[in-house]
Amino acid sequence: MPRGETLPGAPTAEDRIVLHVDMDSFYASCERLREQKLRGEPVVVGMGYEAGEQSGAVATASYEAREYGVESAMGIETALERLPRRAEHPDDPDTAYYRPVDMEFYQDVSADVREILGELADTLREVSIDEAYLDVTERTAWEVAEGFGRHVKQRIDREVGVPASVGVAPNMSTAKIASDHDKPDGLVVVPPEDVEDFLAPLPVADIHGIGPVTADALTDMGIETAGDLAEADPTTLRSKFGERGDEFHRRARGEDPREVEPRGKPKSLSRESAFDGAVEDFEAVVERARNLAGAVAERARRREALYRTIGVKVVTPPFDVNTRAKTLPGPVDEPELVESIALDLLEEFDGEPIRKVGVRVANLSFSERDQTDLDSWEYGGTGDSGDVESAEDGDRSEESPRVERYTNDQARLFEYEPDGSDK
Ligand code: DCP
Ligand code: MG
């Protein structure tokens, strides 16, 4: 329907202006914030990495380091082959600064960014530590959306000091693709009339919900770009992919009816961590679980959540997801209990090879004021499925390319909150 033909007051996708912000090489940018000498240099931030060691996996690499082929989820050992440590070769520019992950610091920086975004949005939905959607319909207009996007970037840069990429579009999925389109320091504005043309040349894998497996299946059908997909026969797509086929078709045309909604309170909080392959050393599993239990309990405390259920998740080869939980008579905030119950529940798996372990607290209660939020909280993710990214937000599909990288990750401490599945 052409613009202007809708009934007054009936909102259409064209009425909305959605802005997606994704910070550039976020952890590395945070490190640069407190260490001037890292600016403009290759920086690698390692998860499970300690200074001078080879262990762990790359959480992120600065864009300078990416030029050497270093990327997220790569083993530190491989990264070091491509980019040796600057500390060991001070005069060699083909080297990088390696730093261990410091979540607490990144959370602080993220909170500063969030404060600014909160001021700039009608509604704000945080997706992850470095990513958020803003509905800015009431704050700007398409004619000046580019200036607004620039303003958002500048405020983050001036007040926090970290670079961000911004996409502005009439819906969430297009805004996300737009923010990623010209990284780093990108600003891409896609007004409603340009959405189809903007999407058309992109590979199908760039479309929300289409991961490597589906992308391959589509390629086999001769569908390689979003444009091909938009023009494909809906009946063929439906026969091949069921209802998802309709969804793909809509998305390829840039239709996405989701509204930018703030997050409600989570129903559970959990953390999990993958081993490099399957480990048989139960002590290592216990040690990892201890840390996870501490992290989960701390997070619950920070969010002022009490929990009644404490559980563990154990992934055994090939990819069997086992969950065990214990429910207490009343809600508590007791980190020691989280640890002891988690370790008790793990006992059963002593002697088995283990790929991944997770700890979770559920049956959360918040202060009375927040209770309604809790009840109304609905989330489509599948936190218990073992797809760590799926609970991060409904925004990433089971099949997104990141999944592959995450599952190959050596020791990614991943927050799969909020996962909404309150089993
Ligand atoms: N992260 C991680 N493990 C991964 C991917 C990401 O620990 N496999 C962490 C480190 C990143 C942060 O999450 O800094 C944000 O993820 P992004 O995918 O947004 O990556 P970056 O912000 O690092 O880079 P980009 O500029 O591509 O957004
Ligand atoms: Mg980012």
Side-chain angles (χ1 to χ4, degrees):
M1 186 182 315
R3 300 185 86 181
E5 270 191 35
T6 45
L7 293 170
T12 69
E14 287 172 273
D15 291 320
R16 295 163 53 225
I17 306 178
V18 177
L19 190 146
H20 181 255
V21 183
D22 189 312
M23 310 305 295
D24 300 322
S25 58
F26 184 57
Y27 296 1
S29 299
C30 292
E31 292 298 338
R32 283 175 168 164
L33 202 52
R34 57 181 175 186
E35 233 185 314
Q36 287 260 352
K37 71 172 183 198
L38 306 190
R39 296 186 188 173
E41 300 284 345
V43 177
V44 178
V45 179
M47 182 88 64
Y49 166 79
E50 277 172 53
E53 311 236 321
Q54 305 241 328
S55 57
V58 175
T60 195
S62 72
Y63 280 77
E64 293 80 0
R66 292 181 199 191
E67 305 224 326
Y68 293 81
V70 175
E71 54 183 45
S72 290
M74 175 181 273
I76 291 287
E77 240 181 300
T78 315
L80 282 166
E81 283 165 18
R82 301 184 181 186
L83 266 177
R85 270 182 261 268
R86 178 68 53 93
E88 288 162 15
H89 312 269
D91 300 322
D92 185 351
D94 295 323
T95 54
Y97 292 97
Y98 284 75
R99 295 289 178 269
V101 162
D102 178 355
M103 278 319 282
E104 218 163 297
F105 177 54
Y106 310 151
Q107 300 276 12
D108 282 351
V109 178
S110 175
D112 291 346
V113 174
R114 185 167 58 234
E115 203 171 308
I116 295 171
L117 298 182
E119 284 174 26
L120 291 169
D122 301 329
T123 48
L124 172 70
R125 181 180 184 88
E126 303 159 58
V127 180
S128 72
I129 191 167
D130 91 322
E131 203 188 324
Y133 292 94
L134 288 69
D135 189 312
V136 294
T137 313
E138 306 292 320
R139 308 290 179 114
T140 186
W142 282 113
E143 296 70 38
V144 292
E146 186 170 335
F148 188 86
R150 190 166 304 117
H151 175 64
V152 173
K153 281 161 59 80
Q154 279 172 352
R155 276 204 61 187
I156 300 171
D157 186 39
R158 287 192 196 133
E159 295 172 37
V160 189
V162 285
S165 290
V166 162
V168 188
N171 57 57
M172 292 171 75
S173 62
T174 312
K176 183 173 167 72
I177 294 173
S179 75
D180 200 40
H181 199 67
D182 194 23
K183 259 183 172 295
D185 197 25
L187 172 58
V188 174
V189 178
V190 188
E193 62 275 15
D194 293 350
V195 169
E196 278 206 60
D197 287 347
F198 169 69
L199 297 176
L202 303 177
V204 287
D206 284 7
I207 305 275
H208 168 58
I210 299 184
V213 179
T214 309
D216 284 348
L218 288 166
T219 308
D220 289 346
M221 297 163 71
I223 299 170
E224 293 190 0
T225 64
D228 297 341
L229 187 55
E231 281 163 23
D233 174 26
T235 323
T236 317
L237 289 175
R238 204 173 308 124
S239 67
K240 182 98 183 154
F241 303 104
E243 278 180 19
R244 288 173 72 219
D246 291 331
E247 186 86 18
F248 297 162
H249 198 241
R250 275 197 298 275
R251 290 197 172 147
R253 292 172 181 274
E255 292 168 26
D256 176 6
R258 289 177 299 162
E259 281 185 26
V260 179
E261 281 175 3
R263 276 207 153 139
K265 295 282 177 190
K267 289 189 173 175
S268 68
L269 298 169
S270 44
R271 278 205 176 186
E272 60 180 39
S273 172
F275 294 96
D276 187 13
V279 294
E280 309 239 2
D281 174 8
F282 192 63
E283 271 314 301
V285 176
V286 166
E287 198 43 47
R288 191 71 68 86
R290 230 190 270 281
N291 289 333
L292 295 170
V296 167
E298 189 199 303
R299 205 150 102 242
R301 189 165 281 181
R302 210 167 52 222
R303 304 191 66 148
E304 297 179 14
L306 300 176
Y307 35 89
R308 210 155 80 81
T309 299
I310 296 163
V312 295
K313 164 170 147 181
V314 178
V315 181
T316 50
F319 282 100
D320 296 328
V321 180
N322 308 278
T323 55
R324 300 287 183 271
K326 186 180 158 106
T327 296
L328 307 163
V332 298
D333 164 20
E334 283 183 50
E336 279 165 26
L337 205 56
V338 177
E339 179 179 315
S340 64
I341 291 180
L343 297 187
D344 277 354
L345 294 169
L346 274 184
E347 281 300 321
E348 173 189 340
F349 299 92
D350 189 354
E352 286 194 46
I354 294 174
R355 301 190 82 104
K356 191 187 260 186
V357 62
V359 175
R360 122 200 198 107
V361 294
N363 253 319
L364 302 187
S365 43
F366 296 84
S367 64
E368 222 148 77
R369 186 170 46 86
D370 288 328
Q371 233 8 252
T372 43
D373 275 345
L374 180 65
D375 294 339
S376 64
W377 198 75
E378 269 177 40
Y379 172 72
T382 52
D384 263 346
S385 70
D387 298 319
V388 286
E389 91 298 345
S390 63
E392 189 182 3
D393 186 67
D395 192 52
R396 275 193 194 123
S397 78
E398 282 182 287
E399 284 191 289
S400 94
R402 292 169 64 106
V403 181
E404 303 263 292
R405 294 196 280 133
Y406 287 154
T407 41
N408 288 339
D409 200 337
Q410 288 187 303
R412 187 166 198 270
L413 198 60
F414 195 93
E415 304 194 9
Y416 56 105
E417 166 245 342
D419 69 6
S421 54
D422 199 14
K423 293 171 232 164

